[in-house]
Amino acid sequence: EAFKFHVDEAAILTLIFRKVKQKVRDLDVSSLSPGQQAWSVIDWAASHLSILHEKSMKPPLKIPILYRAGASNIDNGDGKPIDGDEVIEGTEQYLRMALCMLAHENGWWANDGKLTLPPKLFSKKEDTSKAGGHIYLASIWDLVSNSSETLRFWGNGINLGKISIGDDSTQTMSALLFDLNFDTRLYFTIAKMRMIQIEIDIHMAQIAEELPPFKDPAKDQIAMPPNDFVSFDELGAAVLLDMLYHYDFENDVRVGGLSPAKLIRGYAVLKRYFEKPFESIQMSTVLLDKKKVTQALTNSSLTEEEAMSFLKSVTFGRKSRDFFDCPIVRSASGDEHLLQGFLQFASLPRIAVSRLSSLRVEFKNKGTTFERQVEKIFLENEIPATGFTFWVGSEEFQFDVVAVWRDFVFIFECKNYLLPPPSAAQEFYFMNSMDEAIDQVIRLKSALENNPSELSRHFAVVPTAPIFVPVTLNAMPFSMDIQRRGVFLYDYSALTRFFDGTISINQPIWTENKWIRVEYLIKRLWAGSSPEPTDLINQMKNPTQIEVEMARWHVDQVTLGLTDRLAMRIPVLRKEDTSAADMLKALKIDDVVAELVNKISSGLHQRLGTRRKSKKPKK
């Protein structure tokens, strides 16, 4: 019966994909040659990003760093803000799907797996308008494809039902109703948002710091980190990877001919080489001068072979995740073109995590470094903690970190996995790894319960009736507010925040011709004046970071027509347009503090709005 269910489901999905392809053939854009279609779609995406860029210039006038870092609401002119981050990601996604559909139909995948488009063609305005149809159907294709993957890995199914149409609720039509399980997937969405917030914090930190001048890779010789950095982007990526992954830039693990440090250096050089003042960015494609770019890479400590390997790795192909990771497209004429709009808006820290995750890079000793950092946090707060190993017969029990705090014994199984990409399959396998870690920490807890004297070997004072608290602790910001088989899933960032004792927000303020960073306390994490083990347990049961983000998300329904008589309705996760006050209410903050934060936010926009009136705004 289960087999029949999946066969029926696969048949439905096949019919949907077939219907989308049929619709593509009926579009006006299909009257163009395949090459004209492809370049029209690319030009459509560039014009879309240009409109977004134009809107982002008023007010506030900002460098693009926050567009890929979660603070991206832009005035749409009708009183309804648009989320610039979502528009950029959506534009990339639709372009990628449209080109992949065309590549599949026209055999544009080369033997090496790279996308090879027809030679560059210049689109007429009407052709670019027609290309919007391709984008629309590509978005449907992508939505159904993602839903299919969610069904396979997270369950539920597709049902046939009726939906209302038009304003008259009595009118109905048949619809394929997708029932998707988002329970676990939402935690990955929140983890991504938390990583974005950490990225923002890194960029906030630079406001109050004097940064060293960065050399020009087109002209200067630049050593590898930690001696030199090409840009603040590269420095920010290094800080984020060190904070979340305990990454050593001097590590020489090589993947595809490049060490991780040189892979990140390549992206930093590429972005810096094509960098322009934000006010004068062009979003169209740029013909790549490979000789000059290669020279910039070799000036920046890559060998010529490594430079060529890097450029190949960032050329879009079948296995590429997106145009942020791989912003170069190849054409049959031998030319290579850079999709400058996506490169300009790209976040290097996120690219670094994305590529290292997709390449499944593993670093020796990274786990040990993480364990010692966790141990150090407890010791700095005068809580005995250590890692140790003991044997029972031929069976070994290896404890990453054990902390004895009053009557509680916290057993931490430390995991240093990178966050998976936004894929139901990859998230499923990540959770399988988490379940293996949960099995391990349950096994360790049982070993200590059966051999309590082992605690006395490593701790001077142990409780007479210890309360064991098993925890799987992630280096990346992935936590859950539900226990799995009695084990907490918590993360290092939340743990360090807990011992800081507070939740605060950072606001950049432009005053006296310079940026300053102002921090505002909004919540305390301890019941008393100092931390107690029960405070930590309460935080692991309901992490504040998850409590806040949960308030921002809901499941929306997207309805799409397949024929005049049949539609499909697919649920999607949507982020609410929430004000600072709404966020604070989720934290149970009183109205006085919420009003203060709103005043700060509006004051920030007024200051930045004043700057916009200047003909030569200061940076």
Side-chain angles (χ1 to χ4, degrees), residues 184 303 428 505 516 593:
T184 303
T303 66
F428 177 83
I505 58 170
I516 62 170
V593 178

Side-chain angles (χ1 to χ4, degrees), residues 300-328:
S300 304
S301 297
L302 274 69
T303 66
E304 191 166 336
E305 183 180 359
E306 288 171 334
M308 297 303 290
S309 177
F310 168 74
L311 291 174
K312 183 178 180 181
S313 76
V314 297
T315 300
F316 189 81
R318 275 184 191 274
K319 296 182 179 180
S320 300
R321 182 166 298 164
D322 54 41
F323 286 119
F324 299 113
D325 283 11
C326 299
I328 297 174

Side-chain angles (χ1 to χ4, degrees), residues 405-426:
W405 193 359
R406 305 206 194 287
D407 292 335
F408 296 85
V409 176
F410 292 84
I411 304 169
F412 291 97
E413 179 71 8
C414 300
K415 289 302 170 190
N416 214 333
Y417 302 133
L418 284 165
L419 277 176
S423 152
Q426 295 301 318

Side-chain angles (χ1 to χ4, degrees), residues 503 522-523 544 547-548 582-589:
I503 297 289
I522 61 173
K523 185 170 183 176
T544 299
E547 184 182 8
V548 173
D582 294 329
M583 297 291 289
L584 294 172
K585 284 177 184 175
L587 285 169
K588 301 177 177 65
I589 302 300

Side-chain angles (χ1 to χ4, degrees), residues 292-303:
K292 288 185 177 179
V293 174
T294 300
Q295 183 63 57
L297 290 166
T298 55
N299 286 349
S300 304
S301 297
L302 274 69
T303 66

Side-chain angles (χ1 to χ4, degrees), residues 339-614:
L339 302 181
Q340 185 166 350
F342 296 117
L343 181 68
Q344 188 75 38
F345 281 118
S347 156
L348 188 54
R350 244 167 292 170
I351 286 176
V353 171
S354 171
R355 287 308 303 273
L356 296 178
S357 173
S358 64
L359 295 171
R360 300 183 182 277
V361 173
E362 290 288 340
F363 302 111
K364 293 178 181 177
N365 301 323
K366 66 181 176 68
T368 304
T369 304
F370 178 35
E371 291 159 19
R372 299 293 70 80
Q373 285 293 110
V374 175
E375 181 183 309
K376 183 180 177 183
I377 286 178
F378 283 95
L379 294 176
E380 286 176 344
N381 287 277
E382 299 181 349
I383 300 166
T386 188
F388 57 87
T389 300
F390 69 83
W391 294 78
V392 177
S394 60
E395 190 172 5
E396 181 184 25
F397 296 91
Q398 186 174 356
F399 293 78
D400 293 343
V401 179
V402 175
V404 176
W405 193 359
R406 305 206 194 287
D407 292 335
F408 296 85
V409 176
F410 292 84
I411 304 169
F412 291 97
E413 179 71 8
C414 300
K415 289 302 170 190
N416 214 333
Y417 302 133
L418 284 165
L419 277 176
S423 152
Q426 295 301 318
E427 290 162 359
F428 177 83
Y429 294 129
F430 181 92
M431 287 309 301
N432 278 354
S433 298
M434 288 294 100
D435 285 333
E436 290 173 5
I438 287 167
D439 289 340
Q440 173 68 353
V441 75
I442 289 173
R443 171 179 170 270
L444 295 173
K445 172 177 174 282
S446 178
L448 271 186
E449 287 173 333
N450 294 328
N451 299 274
S453 61
E454 287 295 332
L455 283 174
S456 301
R457 296 177 185 273
H458 303 282
F459 297 94
V461 179
V462 296
T464 54
I467 302 169
F468 293 100
V469 183
V471 184
T472 295
L473 190 73
N474 287 296
M476 283 285 173
F478 180 81
S479 289
M480 298 181 76
D481 58 358
I482 54 174
Q483 291 172 268
R484 291 171 77 89
R485 289 179 286 144
V487 177
F488 291 107
L489 270 78
Y490 203 51
D491 70 87
Y492 180 72
S493 171
L495 183 65
T496 56
R497 184 70 64 87
F498 168 77
F499 280 111
D500 287 342
T502 60
I503 297 289
S504 57
I505 58 170
N506 288 311
Q507 288 284 352
I509 301 292
W510 179 260
T511 182
E512 297 178 359
N513 295 322
K514 65 179 181 180
W515 285 100
I516 62 170
R517 180 180 51 151
V518 182
E519 186 175 3
Y520 295 88
L521 171 66
I522 61 173
K523 185 170 183 176
R524 297 189 181 278
L525 302 178
W526 309 332
S529 59
S530 60
E532 293 292 335
T534 49
D535 292 325
L536 178 55
I537 290 170
N538 288 335
Q539 273 299 300
M540 290 194 296
K541 285 181 179 177
N542 190 23
T544 299
Q545 295 88 337
I546 290 182
E547 184 182 8
V548 173
E549 282 295 335
M550 279 289 189
R552 304 176 69 182
W553 294 89
H554 70 286
V555 176
D556 196 6
Q557 299 288 340
V558 175
T559 303
L560 300 161
L562 290 172
T563 69
D564 292 340
R565 293 183 295 173
L566 180 65
M568 58 183 172
R569 179 165 286 177
I570 300 177
V572 293
L573 285 171
R574 296 276 195 216
K575 186 170 65 176
E576 298 277 8
D577 291 327
T578 51
S579 67
D582 294 329
M583 297 291 289
L584 294 172
K585 284 177 184 175
L587 285 169
K588 301 177 177 65
I589 302 300
D590 63 60
D591 292 338
V592 174
V593 178
E595 185 179 352
L596 171 64
V597 174
N598 273 343
K599 285 181 179 178
I600 294 166
S601 297
S602 62
L604 168 66
H605 284 272
Q606 287 170 11
R607 289 170 189 267
L608 290 170
T610 303
R611 288 180 62 217
R612 186 172 66 90
K613 295 175 184 177
S614 171

